[in-house]
Amino acid sequence: MFSYEVTSLRVRYADTDQMGYVYYGNYARFYEIGRVESLRSIGVSYKELEASGVMMPVYEMKTRYHQPARYDDLLTVKVIIPQLPGARILFQYEIVNQEGVLLNTGETTLVFQRADTGRLCTMPAAWLNKLKPFF
């Protein structure tokens, strides 16, 4: 299992609604920040993947709101990849505030897709080799 934490993600005023709570749609952005930074931590880059002709669109997203994140909270996004990917990769998320209170959990499933044909493919071997040591 692979796990990584993105810390010190400050909730900006623009992230909130009229009540001062993080707007629900922004959790997808928090997931993306966690996903990109977790992969970057092991030397995997979306930019390089796309340059090689492979895209990673989101196939499915699930989220559960436990408590609201609020303006000026300092968030930590924990990202877990529970299994080695094939043509799909599953990311699980836990978002906590500066007091360690669990605010949100979720998961996204992304697929590997050839840019030229739109057909599914497996995770590139170079990426898979960087993830294997965690499993």
Side-chain angles (χ1 to χ4, degrees):
M1 177 177 75
F2 171 79
S3 177
Y4 183 79
E5 289 187 357
V6 176
T7 60
S8 304
L9 185 62
R10 178 78 61 188
V11 174
R12 308 285 191 263
Y13 187 77
D15 295 328
T16 63
D17 59 19
Q18 189 173 5
M19 297 178 292
Y21 297 165
V22 168
Y23 175 70
Y24 75 94
N26 283 324
Y27 287 90
R29 185 170 55 85
F30 297 157
Y31 294 169
E32 181 181 9
I33 291 167
R35 191 167 59 241
V36 169
E37 294 306 319
S38 68
L39 292 173
R40 187 185 314 273
S41 78
I42 58 169
V44 171
S45 161
Y46 268 47
K47 186 175 183 176
E48 290 172 7
L49 180 73
E50 290 176 354
S52 76
V54 178
M55 308 301 281
M56 257 178 72
V58 174
Y59 175 77
E60 182 178 37
M61 184 177 90
K62 299 176 184 176
T63 191
R64 179 165 299 241
Y65 307 96
H66 301 277
Q67 297 285 326
R70 300 170 192 270
Y71 171 65
D72 209 38
D73 276 355
L74 201 54
L75 306 179
T76 296
V77 180
K78 181 177 183 180
V79 180
I80 299 164
I81 301 174
Q83 59 206 29
L84 272 174
R88 298 177 186 205
I89 183 169
L90 174 65
F91 294 90
Q92 298 171 332
Y93 311 93
E94 297 174 358
I95 299 177
V96 300
N97 65 12
Q98 66 277 2
E99 297 163 356
V101 175
L102 181 64
L103 306 176
N104 180 278
T105 54
E107 63 182 46
T108 55
T109 301
L110 284 77
V111 295
F112 296 95
Q113 182 180 41
R114 289 182 44 154
D116 59 351
T117 65
R119 298 188 71 118
L120 294 184
C121 59
T122 58
M123 176 183 242
W127 277 37
L128 194 57
N129 290 334
K130 291 180 180 185
L131 271 177
K132 279 183 180 178
F134 298 95
F135 295 89

